[in-house]
């Protein structure tokens, strides 16, 4: 199973699309009306892409064979018509060709057509590698071959993508901008079956379930920084946060907080949380702990809601109670 796969429950009627992997051999699937539910992987089966074609009414099948079909309006995931779309599932796959070389494939396991450009960044210089339109549920082999022995010299890759679906009523999609240069540790742990291609390879997801939503100001700031010309060292300056971040308001706003409503104070804490989380991800940290206190539980709830949907969070849990009590959350990053 991969993100973007359509699945059906074995013991129920619901169908959905995998949007996230959870701990304990569970996945989160999005079903009709936009609801997301956690399900054990053992309770799901992948729906074959050929199923829709094979079970078309005879009239539709004949029209498809003749090369035409009546105009239909595509319905986004979660609408009353019940069409379930795979909105996420864009991957880069390094596929071994032999003991020495790997080929690069872009896999579109979504239901969108994607206009894609791939650029190589090496020693502060850029080189356009390829541009193409990937139809839904297809893959593209890049005109590049990398040598495993030179892993440390592999370049940074920049991916830029636009999303398109024919028909009226489609929600706007935020263009994708993603840089990727795998680390050795994550690369050798990433081998699995590549969707669409159905071959073993080292798989890295380029999109996430938030790519169809409006970007936060923090995401816009980070994306702008990534698109700026690089320094001579070829790096973007990121302030690496402490391993333990205290979100108590007196730490963030020393002095008098007169005139600030409880909502204003929570906003200050959330902005500090988001900034430190994104900086931890950008600087390559493996984990970070946030001290939020107990209080009414609102801040903890907001943090956990954000973390549960973040594509770069592997999992999160209550931090060591003997050290932090019940008021801290430890986040493990991908």
């Amino acid at each position: 199973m991969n993100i973007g796969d359509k699945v059906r429950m074995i013991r129920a009627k619901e169908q959905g699309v995998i949007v996230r992997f959870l701990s304990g051999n569970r996945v989160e699937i999005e079903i009709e009306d936009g609801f997301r539910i956690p399900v054990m992987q053992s309770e799901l089966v992948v729906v074959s892409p050929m199923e829709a074609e094979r079970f078309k009414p005879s009239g539709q099948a004949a029209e498809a064979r003749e090369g035409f079909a009546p105009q239909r309006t595509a319905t986004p995931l979660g609408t009353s018509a019940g069409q379930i779309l795979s909105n996420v599932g864009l991957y880069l796959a390094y596929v071994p060709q032999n003991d020495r070389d790997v080929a690069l494939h872009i896999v579109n396991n979504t239901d969108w057509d994607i206009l894609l450009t791939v650029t190589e960044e090496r020693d502060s210089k850029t080189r356009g590698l390829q541009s193409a339109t990937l139809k839904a549920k297809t893959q593209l082999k890049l005109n590049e071959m990398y040598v495993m022995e030179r892993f440390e010299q592999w370049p940074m890759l920049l991916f830029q993508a636009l999303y398109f679906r024919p028909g009226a009523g489609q929600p706007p999609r935020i263009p994708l901008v993603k840089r990727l240069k795998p680390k050795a540790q994550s690369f050798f742990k990433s081998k699995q079956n590549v969707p669409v291609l159905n071959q073993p390879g080292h798989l890295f997801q380029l999109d996430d379930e938030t790519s169809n939503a409006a970007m936060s100001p923090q995401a816009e700031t980070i994306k702008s920084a990534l698109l700026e010309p690089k320094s001579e060292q070829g790096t973007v300056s990121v302030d690496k946060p402490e391993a333990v971040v205290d979100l108590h308001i007196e730490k963030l706003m020393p002095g008098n907080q007169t005139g600030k409503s409880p909502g204003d104070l929570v906003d200050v804490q959330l902005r500090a949380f988001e900034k430190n989380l994104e900086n931890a991800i950008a600087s390559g940290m493996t984990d970070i702990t946030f001290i939020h206190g107990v209080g009414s539980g609102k801040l903890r709830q907001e943090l956990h809601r954000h973390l549960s949907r973040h594509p770069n969070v592997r999992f999160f849990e209550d931090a060591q109670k003997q050290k932090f009590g019940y008021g801290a959350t430890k986040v493990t990053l991908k």
Side-chain angles (χ1 to χ4, degrees):
M1 293 182 182
N2 293 279
I3 292 174
D5 285 348
K6 294 183 179 180
V7 292
R8 178 182 296 117
M9 295 187 190
I10 297 176
R11 306 176 193 277
K13 297 180 179 180
E14 284 82 2
Q15 299 185 62
V17 174
I18 297 176
V19 295
R20 193 160 60 96
F21 287 95
L22 306 172
S23 59
N25 293 321
R26 298 178 303 153
V27 296
E28 185 176 75
I29 67 170
E30 187 162 350
I31 60 176
E32 293 180 6
D33 300 322
F35 290 110
R36 295 188 177 190
I37 56 176
V39 184
M40 295 295 296
Q41 292 190 40
S42 58
E43 295 294 316
L44 297 170
V45 293
V46 177
V47 177
S48 169
M50 298 298 297
E51 182 175 305
E53 289 294 325
R54 291 181 178 273
F55 289 93
K56 275 183 179 179
S58 57
Q60 292 184 27
E63 290 167 352
R65 285 193 298 269
E66 294 297 327
F68 67 92
Q71 183 68 33
R72 295 179 178 86
T73 299
T75 307
L77 176 62
T79 60
S80 57
Q83 180 185 6
I84 302 177
L85 298 182
S86 298
N87 287 316
V88 293
L90 180 64
Y91 297 95
L92 170 65
Y94 297 88
V95 179
Q97 304 299 291
N98 47 51
D99 293 338
R100 182 172 179 267
D101 303 316
V102 295
L104 279 64
H105 293 254
I106 307 297
V107 178
N108 179 12
N109 199 31
T110 77
D111 285 326
W112 294 75
D113 292 348
I114 296 179
L115 285 69
L116 179 76
T117 65
V118 186
T119 304
E120 176 185 282
E121 299 181 343
R122 192 192 297 268
D123 299 327
S124 301
K125 298 179 181 179
T126 60
R127 180 171 70 96
L129 297 185
Q130 208 151 335
S131 64
T133 298
L134 276 75
K135 294 292 186 179
K137 304 296 180 182
T138 63
Q139 63 87 28
L140 168 71
K141 184 177 180 180
L142 300 185
N143 300 321
E144 293 293 311
M145 193 82 72
Y146 288 172
V147 179
M148 286 297 302
E149 293 178 354
R150 300 175 186 170
F151 179 84
E152 296 300 329
Q153 284 75 50
W154 287 4
M156 179 81 72
L157 295 177
L158 169 64
F159 302 89
Q160 300 178 82
L162 297 173
Y163 296 84
F164 172 78
R165 273 183 66 82
Q170 298 302 325
R173 296 289 304 265
I174 295 296
L176 172 73
V177 177
K178 176 78 171 183
R179 276 189 172 88
L180 179 66
K181 184 180 188 302
K183 299 178 180 178
Q185 183 179 8
S186 60
F187 182 84
F188 292 105
K189 289 183 178 179
S190 65
K191 194 166 187 179
Q192 56 186 289
N193 187 62
V194 177
V196 181
L197 190 62
N198 290 321
Q199 294 182 24
H202 300 274
L203 195 65
F204 295 87
Q205 187 181 355
L206 300 176
D207 60 3
D208 58 76
E209 65 266 29
T210 63
S211 61
N212 196 33
M215 286 185 292
S216 67
Q218 291 79 11
E220 288 280 13
T221 301
I222 292 170
K223 182 169 286 189
S224 297
L226 288 174
L227 289 175
E228 289 176 357
K230 291 198 167 188
S231 64
E232 292 182 0
Q233 290 75 26
T235 59
V236 175
S237 177
V238 175
D239 295 327
K240 185 175 182 179
E242 298 292 332
V244 178
V245 177
D246 193 340
L247 296 177
H248 282 97
I249 197 65
E250 57 269 20
K251 293 288 186 180
L252 303 176
M253 297 178 62
N256 190 359
Q257 289 92 41
T258 304
K260 297 286 186 180
S261 68
D264 292 335
L265 298 179
V266 171
D267 286 342
V268 170
Q269 292 171 304
L270 288 175
R271 286 196 296 270
F273 157 73
E274 291 174 354
K275 177 181 177 181
N276 282 279
L277 177 64
E278 297 298 343
N279 284 349
I281 294 168
S283 59
M285 293 174 64
T286 57
D287 59 75
I288 185 171
T289 298
F290 293 97
I291 300 176
H292 45 70
V294 180
S296 66
K298 178 175 175 57
L299 180 59
R300 178 181 184 273
Q301 181 181 358
E302 287 297 321
L303 263 60
H304 286 196
R305 183 180 66 82
H306 183 96
L307 292 169
S308 68
R309 301 175 68 89
H310 201 293
N312 291 315
V313 171
R314 188 176 299 278
F315 63 88
F316 58 93
E317 59 190 341
D318 290 333
Q320 300 177 20
K321 293 181 175 60
Q322 62 270 29
K323 186 175 181 180
F324 300 104
Y326 289 89
T329 297
K330 181 179 179 182
V331 184
T332 300
L333 305 171
K334 293 181 180 178

